[in-house]
Amino acid sequence: MKLKELESLMQDIAPFEQPKIELEQYPTGPHLASRLLFAVANSYDEFDGQTVIDLGCGTAMLSIGAAMLGAQHVVGVDVDEDALRIAQQNVDEYEDPLPIDFIRCDVRQVAGQARLQADTVVMNPPFGTRRKGADMEFLRAAFALSRNSVYSLHKSSTRDYIQRFAERELRASSAEVLAQLRYDLPASYKFHKEKSKDIEVDLWRFEVPPQTDPS
């Protein structure tokens, strides 16, 4: 599937109805989402026949895209019941059933779900502007859930910190910025003065360290 085709197919995925600022809910638009997904599928072939977790899935933009690109099974995880309701509605819009299930769970508790594992984790986590450290909580959880790799978007201004955290705290086998993208954030809350704002974000690929056998 070509990039433009993927982006076009994702145009009708409904965003949040009433985004919640405490969860830093901003829509992952089809332009940004398609580029993340296209990199996973075409540069690393980590969707086709693979299991995928979309951590902080919101309304399932990344989940649906991963399924379109051949993922065997996708699990969308989010703490927000309203977001998961819209996510399920989005999935139900497709005539051919998509291999997507949803779980309601807080990211701070998700690592304790022993059976929740996947080959690849994709996510557009909070930037940590409302609750400091939220972005690192997502990254830590993603490493606990993935067998192979994690793809994530983070503010470019935090690049050096993300690199150190991944390598020192999470013992990443590798941590690489694949691309710098522009995240066009639409005005979603009353305090937003501008109609939209461009934020520079990095698309990261992390390889998780080999899992040790507790026995």
Side-chain angles (χ1 to χ4, degrees):
M1 184 183 296
K2 293 184 178 180
L3 177 59
K4 286 186 178 179
E5 182 184 0
L6 176 62
E7 183 175 349
S8 176
L9 289 171
M10 300 173 75
Q11 291 289 339
D12 294 329
I13 298 174
F16 299 105
E17 291 175 351
Q18 294 181 311
K20 296 168 182 163
I21 185 59
E22 67 272 17
L23 298 177
E24 289 190 53
Q25 289 180 336
Y26 294 96
T28 306
H31 179 81
L32 186 66
S34 61
R35 277 145 184 82
L36 184 158
L37 297 164
F38 194 76
V40 180
N42 287 270
S43 297
Y44 295 95
D45 193 22
E46 289 190 306
F47 281 150
D48 193 26
Q50 303 292 300
T51 55
V52 176
I53 289 174
D54 178 4
L55 192 57
C57 65
T59 65
M61 178 70 76
L62 296 179
S63 297
I64 291 170
M68 287 177 174
L69 290 168
Q72 182 184 57
H73 185 218
V74 182
V75 177
V77 180
D78 206 287
V79 71
D80 182 28
E81 190 172 2
D82 293 328
L84 291 175
R85 173 180 52 80
I86 300 169
Q88 188 62 61
Q89 291 172 354
N90 281 330
V91 169
D92 292 342
E93 285 293 316
Y94 292 85
E95 291 184 11
D96 295 327
L98 295 174
I100 301 174
D101 292 305
F102 296 105
I103 294 175
R104 186 183 181 195
C105 188
D106 190 302
V107 70
R108 290 167 287 190
Q109 300 168 341
V110 76
Q113 307 294 319
R115 288 203 257 173
L116 189 57
Q117 287 273 304
D119 299 311
T120 302
V121 173
V122 295
M123 61 179 185
N124 180 16
F127 291 144
T129 54
R130 302 298 294 187
R131 184 167 60 83
K132 189 175 180 180
D135 49 349
M136 296 302 100
E137 288 174 354
F138 269 77
L139 199 53
R140 192 182 295 278
F143 269 64
L145 298 176
S146 176
R147 299 187 193 96
N148 299 319
S149 57
V150 173
Y151 293 83
S152 185
L153 294 166
H154 298 271
K155 276 187 175 180
S156 297
S157 59
T158 64
R159 183 179 298 175
D160 291 343
Y161 180 76
I162 295 288
Q163 187 90 39
R164 288 196 302 271
F165 184 84
E167 292 176 349
R168 297 177 186 179
E169 296 287 328
L170 302 179
R171 304 295 182 188
S173 298
S174 70
E176 179 186 3
V177 175
L178 303 182
Q180 187 177 57
L181 305 169
R182 300 197 75 82
Y183 191 172
D184 183 22
L185 283 180
S188 304
Y189 302 102
K190 290 181 179 179
F191 62 84
H192 285 163
K193 305 296 184 186
E194 304 172 40
K195 289 184 178 179
S196 65
K197 184 175 182 179
D198 276 347
I199 296 178
E200 290 184 340
V201 296
D202 290 339
L203 169 55
W204 284 87
R205 180 180 186 268
F206 306 96
E207 289 185 12
V208 303
Q211 297 181 357
T212 57
D213 189 340
S215 61

